[in-house]
Short mmCIF file of all heavy atoms in Angstrom, two decimals:
data_model
loop_
_atom_site.label_atom_id
_atom_site.label_comp_id
_atom_site.label_asym_id
_atom_site.label_seq_id
_atom_site.Cartn_x
_atom_site.Cartn_y
_atom_site.Cartn_z
N ARG A 236 14.30 -2.34 20.19
CA ARG A 236 13.76 -0.97 20.51
C ARG A 236 14.31 0.08 19.53
O ARG A 236 13.64 1.16 19.35
CB ARG A 236 14.10 -0.66 21.97
CG ARG A 236 13.54 -1.48 22.94
CD ARG A 236 13.71 -0.94 24.34
NE ARG A 236 15.12 -0.73 24.66
CZ ARG A 236 15.93 -1.64 25.28
NH1 ARG A 236 15.43 -2.83 25.61
NH2 ARG A 236 17.20 -1.44 25.49
N GLY A 237 15.46 -0.05 18.99
CA GLY A 237 16.09 1.00 18.25
C GLY A 237 15.72 0.99 16.82
O GLY A 237 15.46 -0.13 16.25
N PRO A 238 15.76 2.12 16.13
CA PRO A 238 15.38 2.15 14.68
C PRO A 238 16.54 1.62 13.82
O PRO A 238 17.67 1.62 14.24
CB PRO A 238 15.11 3.64 14.45
CG PRO A 238 16.02 4.32 15.47
CD PRO A 238 15.97 3.39 16.69
N THR A 239 16.23 1.16 12.67
CA THR A 239 17.23 0.80 11.73
C THR A 239 17.82 2.04 11.04
O THR A 239 17.20 3.19 11.19
CB THR A 239 16.74 -0.13 10.58
OG1 THR A 239 15.71 0.61 9.84
CG2 THR A 239 16.07 -1.40 11.22
N TYR A 240 18.87 1.94 10.30
CA TYR A 240 19.43 3.10 9.65
C TYR A 240 18.45 3.65 8.62
O TYR A 240 18.35 4.90 8.42
CB TYR A 240 20.80 2.74 8.97
CG TYR A 240 21.69 3.95 8.91
CD1 TYR A 240 22.56 4.29 9.93
CD2 TYR A 240 21.70 4.76 7.77
CE1 TYR A 240 23.32 5.40 9.89
CE2 TYR A 240 22.56 5.90 7.67
CZ TYR A 240 23.37 6.21 8.76
OH TYR A 240 24.17 7.33 8.68
N ALA A 241 17.71 2.84 7.92
CA ALA A 241 16.73 3.36 6.99
C ALA A 241 15.70 4.21 7.67
O ALA A 241 15.37 5.21 7.17
CB ALA A 241 16.08 2.19 6.32
N GLU A 242 15.30 3.78 8.86
CA GLU A 242 14.28 4.51 9.59
C GLU A 242 14.87 5.86 10.09
O GLU A 242 14.14 6.90 10.10
CB GLU A 242 13.78 3.73 10.79
CG GLU A 242 12.92 2.57 10.40
CD GLU A 242 12.62 1.58 11.51
OE1 GLU A 242 13.43 1.48 12.42
OE2 GLU A 242 11.57 0.82 11.43
N LEU A 243 16.19 5.85 10.48
CA LEU A 243 16.76 7.10 10.91
C LEU A 243 16.87 8.11 9.76
O LEU A 243 16.68 9.29 9.94
CB LEU A 243 18.24 6.78 11.49
CG LEU A 243 18.22 6.00 12.79
CD1 LEU A 243 19.65 5.59 13.11
CD2 LEU A 243 17.67 6.89 13.94
N VAL A 244 17.21 7.53 8.54
CA VAL A 244 17.25 8.39 7.42
C VAL A 244 15.95 9.11 7.07
O VAL A 244 15.88 10.27 6.79
CB VAL A 244 17.81 7.58 6.17
CG1 VAL A 244 17.60 8.42 4.92
CG2 VAL A 244 19.30 7.30 6.37
N LEU A 245 14.85 8.30 7.23
CA LEU A 245 13.54 8.83 6.91
C LEU A 245 13.16 9.90 8.01
O LEU A 245 12.50 10.87 7.64
CB LEU A 245 12.51 7.74 6.96
CG LEU A 245 12.55 6.66 5.85
CD1 LEU A 245 11.48 5.68 5.97
CD2 LEU A 245 12.55 7.40 4.47
N GLU A 246 13.63 9.72 9.20
CA GLU A 246 13.41 10.77 10.21
C GLU A 246 14.07 12.05 9.92
O GLU A 246 13.54 13.18 10.15
CB GLU A 246 13.87 10.21 11.61
CG GLU A 246 13.07 9.15 12.23
CD GLU A 246 13.62 8.61 13.55
OE1 GLU A 246 14.61 9.22 14.00
OE2 GLU A 246 13.05 7.57 14.07
N VAL A 247 15.33 11.97 9.31
CA VAL A 247 15.96 13.20 8.93
C VAL A 247 15.25 13.86 7.84
O VAL A 247 15.06 15.10 7.84
CB VAL A 247 17.38 12.86 8.49
CG1 VAL A 247 18.13 14.16 7.93
CG2 VAL A 247 18.22 12.34 9.66
N PHE A 248 14.79 13.13 6.84
CA PHE A 248 14.03 13.76 5.74
C PHE A 248 12.73 14.39 6.26
O PHE A 248 12.28 15.46 5.91
CB PHE A 248 13.60 12.69 4.72
CG PHE A 248 14.64 12.52 3.63
CD1 PHE A 248 15.57 11.55 3.70
CD2 PHE A 248 14.65 13.35 2.52
CE1 PHE A 248 16.52 11.36 2.68
CE2 PHE A 248 15.52 13.21 1.52
CZ PHE A 248 16.46 12.23 1.56
N ALA A 249 12.09 13.73 7.28
CA ALA A 249 10.86 14.25 7.86
C ALA A 249 11.11 15.60 8.57
O ALA A 249 10.15 16.40 8.71
CB ALA A 249 10.19 13.26 8.80
N ASP A 250 12.37 15.81 9.02
CA ASP A 250 12.62 17.11 9.65
C ASP A 250 12.80 18.25 8.70
O ASP A 250 13.01 19.41 9.05
CB ASP A 250 13.93 16.93 10.48
CG ASP A 250 13.76 16.09 11.78
OD1 ASP A 250 12.61 16.06 12.27
OD2 ASP A 250 14.72 15.62 12.28
N HIS A 251 12.63 17.93 7.37
CA HIS A 251 12.74 19.03 6.41
C HIS A 251 11.50 19.03 5.50
O HIS A 251 11.48 18.46 4.42
CB HIS A 251 14.02 18.74 5.48
CG HIS A 251 15.32 18.77 6.26
ND1 HIS A 251 16.01 19.96 6.35
CD2 HIS A 251 16.02 17.88 7.01
CE1 HIS A 251 17.14 19.81 7.10
NE2 HIS A 251 17.11 18.50 7.48
N PRO A 252 10.46 19.65 5.99
CA PRO A 252 9.21 19.65 5.24
C PRO A 252 9.31 20.31 3.93
O PRO A 252 8.47 20.13 3.06
CB PRO A 252 8.25 20.40 6.20
CG PRO A 252 9.13 21.23 7.08
CD PRO A 252 10.37 20.41 7.27
#
Side-chain angles (χ1 to χ4, degrees):
R236 297 188 301 268
T239 64
Y240 207 85
E242 292 168 334
L243 291 171
V244 167
L245 294 182
E246 289 177 6
V247 175
F248 271 95
D250 286 338
H251 295 270

